[in-house]
Amino acid sequence: MINKNKLIKLGTFLFLTTVAGGKIYSQTDQVTDQQVLAQQANLVKVSGTVIDSRSGEPIAGARVTYGTTTAKITDNRGRFELELPEEDALVEVSMDGYTAKQIPVLFDRPMEVVIYPASYPSFYKQTTTVFGSNSLMNTAGAIAKYDINAWEQNSETLDSYLQGKLSGVSVVRKSGTPTMGANVMIRNYNSLYTNNQPLYIIDGVVYASEIHSPSITTGHENNPLQNIDVRDIQDITILKDAVSASIYGARAANGVVVINTNHAKELATKIDFQATTGMNFTPKALPTMAAYAYRSYLNDVLATTSLSGEEIGGMPFNNDDRNFEEYARYHNETDWQKEVFKGSQDQNYYLKVTGGDNIAKYALSVGYNNEKGIIDNTNSEKYTARFNGDMEITKKLTAQTNISMGYGQQNLKDQGLSPKTNPIFLSLVKAPFMHPNEVSADGGVSPIYAEADILNISNPLQIIHNGINNKKSYRFLGSVVFDYKFNEQFNLTNLLAVTYDKAQEDFFVPKKGIARDTVNNMEVFSRLGTQVARYFGISNDIRLNFSKDLGNSSQLQAAAGFRYHNHDAEQDYALGFNSATDQLVSIGNSTAASRVYGGHIGSWNSLTTYALGSLTLKNKYIFNGSVGVDGSSRFGDKVKSSIKIDDKAFGIFPAVGAAWILSNEDFLKSNASVNLLKMRVNYGVVGNDDVGNYAARQNYISQNFLGVQGLVREGLANPYLKWESVEKLNAGLDVSFFQERLNVSVDVYQHTTRDMLVYNRGNALAGVAYYLYNNGSMRNRGVDLNIFGRVVDRAVKWDAGLTLGTYQNEMVSLPETSFTSYAGATFITEKGSPANSFYGYKFDGVYSTEAEAQAADLGILDIAGEKVPFNAGDARFVDKNRDGIIDESDRFILGNPIPDLFGGLNNTISYKNWKFGALFTFSVGNDIYNYTRAQLESGSTYYNQTELLQGRWRTEGQVTNVPKAAYGDPMGNARFSDRWIEDGSYLRLRQVSLEYNFPVNKQIIKYVRIYGTANNLFTWSKYLGYDPEFASSADIFHQGVDVTLEPIYKSVQLGLRIGL
Amino acid sequence: MKILSSNYIIGLLLCLGISSCSDKWADHIGSGDAQQSLYEVVNDNAQFSAFADLLERSGYAEDLKASKNYTLIIPTNEAVEAVRSNYDNFNDSTVLRSFVGYHIINSIYSVNEATDTVKAKNFRNKYVEFTRGAFDEVVPTSQNLTAGNGIYHVVPAALKPLQSVFDFVMINFSELEQVKAVSSFDTVITVNADGTRILRINSLWFTQTRQHMTREDKKITYFVLDDEYYSEEYNKLRPYHSTSYAEDGVRPDSTTTFFTKRALLSDLIVEGELGAEDLDAELLAVSGTKFRVDAADVISTHKTSNGRVYRVKKLNVALADQIKEIKVLGIQPVGFKQNDKAGNTYYRNKRDLNGELYDDIQIYDHKVTAFYAKYRANNLNVVKYKVYGRAIMGLAGDPQVTAFTQYVHFFDPTLVSANEVDLYKRPVVNNQDVNDTRMTFTVEPRNHDEVYLGEVIQDEFGRLPLLVMSNGTGPIILEYLRFVPILP
């Protein structure tokens, strides 16, 4: 079928173009010209009708084009006629506001072409990716595109917005805190100890989205994506496989998210304005015990301490004498969760102006966002501005500027593992008989909040009202693109970008009302801290592009380029304790001896040379090839690599792919029900360079020893340290049925990480217990499925899209089984199993009687190695090795946080001026370690517990599943076991929106729309926590652990949009 | 139409959502049958209505509503009716509170047939004994039932509130001389300048005698004697306890009568609750006096909350067991000639040649002529004592290996009672008074035996100060001095 000679010529051409640029250009031009002339000899006539999917009526004025030579406009009845030179030709049917479509021509009968509005998802979409502006059709890669229209969802950040919309992209929102964002995993994590978040490319610039400096507010992360307003985004394209991403070389292992922001499309001035107000709702309270039941529990626990019955009886909360002077203080019924969680209102304004003339176009937008959290007294205020300009300097030289600025100011509170200062945690565990405020003997309530109680539990309202956690963050991202068009085939692009980011944080934990602590052998009563984190990045990307229509329905695109990226990050912090009074809140007021200074600097460079080519033959066969050659200052000097420049190792990341559009073949093109069938397969290698800025080098850190500052060696140099490589194999199928009414895209893939960083046991004599080295391997296999289409197509239009993802993770090789622990949980990572599996004991009920406990003959070993038997009321654990001792060798794999299936169901229903949208998201089969519940049902502390503890074992013969209360848990009844592992599956009505478009006089005003949106309206889950969706960080070893973060909450918004 | 149906679906899902949300915690927590408080348990159960009534009237009902943890022993209606007449229909509020409070125990005590006696303190500060599944021998009909603020057991017979030994004898045997003697210690003995009267109980009396009779956490056996025998014993012991303090003087707790009574009364208490079968053996009083009881002399026995009272005619006790020997330990000096020799003073814990452990004092290389350590022999009776001493030296590692002499010095008895402090101001070394007694204590190497030192007369009940003195600047070594009374 394909001319062999022609192929060889083209192959040679592709190679030479990418390597040598324009030198051969004149020769190739001649070749194609000859071909075109040769084929104009015998013309064939085709005819057809273009139909609008919305009305079902023919469209007049649609363009029907063939290559650059033939173009026709449809007549009033939507009909067209063309004369074409070849039988397997494709014609493109396009119309403003509609997605252009390339379809194979039919000669035996008139064609019927249905075109869809641009908002309808389609395989025929144009996308601007690394291949330049191109049709999705012409790639062999696994690419998903999503057109953003996020006006209704302005409370989202970019990462959380992606949830449920793209198949194989697992998005787990970190918490309900505004701007917190989400963990985005494109086909699962590919690495244990390095970055596993995708690379974000915004307007062609590699966006610094890594979190360089940890926040000094516990449980918080400064999300670099918060400064992008989702309304500024035009479209998002996800590059999941290797061939579409390998030009990003050692940074593309986790997939690439390509984002294009709004540019002016028309010359006319357009103004869009939006104003929104929102309400946030507090979550359903966890059923902790009320004062009566808690007091009984507390007395039970106290009875197991060294305190005597008389001492316990003498405690003020046990004194029920109304004349007792502290009676009013200790006899209340406080719903602490209600005190801490408060509903709140959001405000949001956004203005966008676009326009220009035929020399310069601009798109300017400014936004103000004031979002409040549901923890009382927290909020996030955000200002964003973006200026995108397009300039045509000469006919051949164009320039584009993309400038964005963001400023955010946030009032936060500690969250997560911070038992003395996390207000949510405190609201759960604090004694309900205490009053939030100071109370006088006669019951008078003071406006002053109460001190920490006698059980040494802080008053969460002190944290909320008198504590300070203030963050200010700025980001500037500016880029300039020059594009010089040599001729029809060649153009040279240079992109220069600068990123500046700064985050400033201050916190103060007051003395009054907060439980005291001991840090470094010092009694701590107030805590202060401040931090400045700074990032500066500059990058330049120069690229030569080549594009040519080869005729004969064939075309070629190629590019080669060179990218340099310099990063410079710095963090400086100071932490101190014990300021003189609670009015002195800045770090300088802490006692000098207690102050600790620290921080880090990180600066690194990367250098990438890349080339890619894409060849489409006869509109049926697509070949893609790309390669990235990546060097980084992070890599060691002695790395073995096939390419070394100036003695530095460079990683090579090649990828190839092929696709076959079967529906353009003769045997299928006349099929009425199957309109599109495309098979794709590709293979390649991408890398992960996040091996640590200085891990390959020997470095020193400063350390304080007895008041003297000195330098100590941090680690041994590992000059063999290199990038991780991920081998990606992907096969996919895109099918479209019934004139695009039903579309299915399915991908199967295998990602194998090689040279994965893992901890190796070091030589203890050298002072190195463990070191990182590239000798691990991991594999992910999975399937992505995306089904979308129009369910109802009458007066009511119902578009639905279902995305599904599933994968299996397996450790292929590891130097040794590793155990990690977090929040009291143990995780195992061993060969043959998924990484990071929960590893703990199996709980098997409670011994009801002494006789039952004796018969079981199980025990634990005390420090002296003596067996201590379990008694009645203790938990029964499964003795795996049957040695009568419950110890570490009796642990089982209890599950893992990876879902079996996840995805979303997106619906849009429109009827006349009404538009209704609903997004469901779901996750099935992921396990959660409920740390919060483990604290609330341990029965071993003074913490308030859930009502479950009312059924605790108390008497001989009592049959229950709740072990007895015992202070300090001497028998380990509350140890990490499957009692705390829960099914985290959920189905959530993530977002519902209803919009009404007012009929207006379009001469004066373009549109007036009013809409309402509800977020997270319903969540169906068996999970016993506030919410089953959370992530305390992006670290693998922290996944699936509920450490009491601000839960994701329900909210509604009411908004108005006006277009002028 | 389509919109309507989708609304309907959403509505349906909404209902599902609400129900599933509320169910998951209910499923997890369970039905919770233990959530009634003890107060509600008693009130809601018709079987306990009589006790509920008593509970309300006694005022303890409020406590059972509180959320501390209790163990409640609930007598059934029949059980309450059975004892109603015994308590005069509970008309007296004290009796009522005593009865009800006896059935309420602080904290949780479950009944377990496998465990031996557990004592649980009830609201009356008495101890209820849980022995092999029974309380004070009452077997519960149902047991270990949980309530919101504790557990409860149901008994077919009410528990009997008992008096302590002290209260029992004070009420039942108040006419007896012995009991009058006991109560005489509880009388007002001090009048302040402003006329207020305070009860000052002698502390030794309190710890050695009275406390045994009142404390509830230990059991005792107490013997109550016939007046005749009591007087006989009193008269017999009186000469050995004579003092110079006037009977109606400023120190009523230092008179001859006081000391005699105290000695006699503390001889009548035996630790532990003895049954009739235990009386055959030789008994040991808390004071250390040995005696026997003839079964024929037992008139009656009485159970009390903290032990058993035996009303007896007499006891068989020898004078030699009542007037006891006294030991003064070398390691318990009360002072020294001068205070700067701590570095030369060794309190030693050693093994003698037989491998037995002993403690002694050694004062060595002190370089003070006639250095001495002060001691006191306490509670010496008015009688002549033989004095023996033991001091061991010459063992491996000892600095002193050759024989040496030290002295045991007693002061003029007339000066002793006048003022002990002044004693030491006298230049005892050179001016030994004619009435002073100085015994020579020759210490031979590796001698484990006691050395007889001489005799000393104590002419007033109480303490006897003495010195152990070096010969020149020689050493002082002493394990103990033993005072053996010479009795008729």
Side-chain angles (χ1 to χ4, degrees), chain A residues 46-52 56-60 62 64 74-81 91 93 101 103 109-115 739:
Chain A
V46 291
S47 66
T49 319
V50 178
I51 295 163
D52 180 3
E57 300 294 323
I59 298 183
V64 181
T74 54
D75 62 18
N76 284 341
R77 288 176 294 170
R79 288 201 306 209
F80 64 89
E81 262 183 29
V91 290
V93 180
K101 195 169 174 179
I103 46 163
R109 56 191 136 100
M111 293 159 63
E112 193 169 90
V113 185
V114 181
I115 57 172
Q739 296 288 3

Side-chain angles (χ1 to χ4, degrees), chain A residues 943-958:
Chain A
Y943 290 159
N944 193 7
Q945 308 277 297
T946 71
E947 285 169 5
L948 179 78
L949 264 284
Q950 286 170 242
R952 66 189 175 274
W953 187 94
R954 282 192 286 183
T955 64
E956 180 76 8
Q958 186 183 345

Side-chain angles (χ1 to χ4, degrees), chain A residues 573-863:
Chain A
Y573 66 82
L575 303 174
F577 301 104
N578 302 355
S579 74
T581 76
D582 283 351
Q583 276 67 48
L584 300 172
V585 299
S586 60
I587 182 73
N589 297 297
S590 60
T591 54
S594 74
R595 231 170 281 153
V596 180
Y597 303 97
H600 73 84
I601 49 169
S603 112
W604 74 101
N605 299 311
S606 61
L607 199 63
T608 313
T609 313
Y610 60 89
L612 57 93
S614 171
L615 174 67
T616 309
L617 288 179
K618 293 193 166 238
N619 284 319
K620 292 173 199 159
Y621 316 105
I622 299 159
F623 301 96
N624 288 168
S626 62
V627 63
V629 178
D630 218 334
S632 167
S633 64
R634 288 167 162 178
F635 304 152
D637 291 335
K638 294 186 179 168
V639 174
K640 288 198 172 59
S641 166
S642 49
I643 291 190
K644 284 213 169 190
I645 300 168
D646 193 20
D647 220 23
K648 301 278 182 206
F650 281 73
I652 306 174
F653 303 98
V656 288
W660 181 19
I661 305 174
L662 284 81
S663 54
N664 289 352
E665 295 285 359
D666 288 340
F667 58 86
L668 210 57
K669 70 181 179 187
S670 54
N671 191 312
S673 47
V674 179
N675 308 106
L676 173 69
L677 179 61
K678 177 180 167 191
M679 276 163 54
R680 295 175 273 113
V681 61
N682 66 62
Y683 169 82
V685 182
V686 279
N688 191 335
D689 70 347
D690 184 33
V691 297
N693 292 335
Y694 305 113
R697 283 165 184 73
Q698 185 163 303
N699 61 321
Y700 292 82
I701 53 165
S702 75
Q703 200 171 69
N704 190 322
F705 179 69
L706 299 175
V708 181
Q709 203 82 5
L711 288 177
V712 295
R713 199 165 70 190
E714 195 185 19
L716 285 177
N718 181 358
Y720 299 98
L721 198 71
K722 60 184 241 180
W723 56 91
E724 296 182 351
S725 302
V726 182
E727 231 180 80
K728 294 189 174 181
L729 181 62
N730 186 93
L733 193 67
D734 300 326
V735 199
S736 184
F737 300 99
F738 318 120
Q739 296 288 3
E740 288 196 79
R741 278 289 291 279
L742 174 65
N743 305 277
V744 179
S745 174
V746 61
D747 276 282
V748 291
Y749 59 87
Q750 172 174 303
H751 292 182
T752 310
T753 309
R754 300 194 199 283
D755 299 333
M756 183 172 70
L757 285 195
V758 277
Y759 279 98
N760 288 257
R761 210 175 269 275
N763 186 343
L765 286 176
V768 180
Y770 285 95
Y771 65 95
L772 275 172
Y773 189 54
N774 304 74
N775 55 345
S777 178
M778 168 157 96
R779 183 185 296 136
N780 284 300
R781 286 190 173 121
V783 179
D784 296 344
L785 178 66
N786 186 8
I787 304 173
F788 56 95
R790 179 153 290 178
V791 182
V792 178
D793 196 9
R794 306 252 176 91
V796 176
K797 309 277 181 204
W798 179 5
D799 293 344
L802 175 72
T803 62
L804 285 173
T806 176
Y807 41 61
Q808 274 171 336
N809 178 260
E810 186 193 335
M811 299 305 301
V812 179
S813 78
L814 270 176
E816 64 178 26
T817 300
S818 87
F819 297 94
T820 51
S821 59
Y822 178 61
T826 316
F827 303 89
I828 188 171
T829 301
E830 66 176 346
K831 202 178 151 181
S833 300
N836 191 39
S837 300
F838 296 119
Y839 193 58
Y841 300 85
K842 274 192 179 159
F843 174 76
D844 189 25
V846 169
Y847 297 112
S848 164
T849 63
E850 200 61 53
E852 198 182 317
Q854 278 168 12
D857 195 27
L858 293 177
I860 56 170
L861 293 181
D862 64 9
I863 302 167

Side-chain angles (χ1 to χ4, degrees), chain B residues 51-67:
Chain B
F51 189 70
D53 173 54
L54 298 181
L55 194 61
E56 205 65 58
R57 279 167 50 201
S58 68
Y60 284 128
E62 281 308 308
D63 291 287
L64 288 189
K65 289 176 192 169
S67 55

Side-chain angles (χ1 to χ4, degrees), chain A residues 537-554:
Chain A
I538 184 158
S539 67
N540 192 69
D541 191 344
I542 183 162
R543 179 188 298 183
L544 181 69
N545 295 301
F546 171 81
S547 168
K548 180 150 179 73
D549 190 332
L550 303 176
N552 206 5
S553 298
S554 299

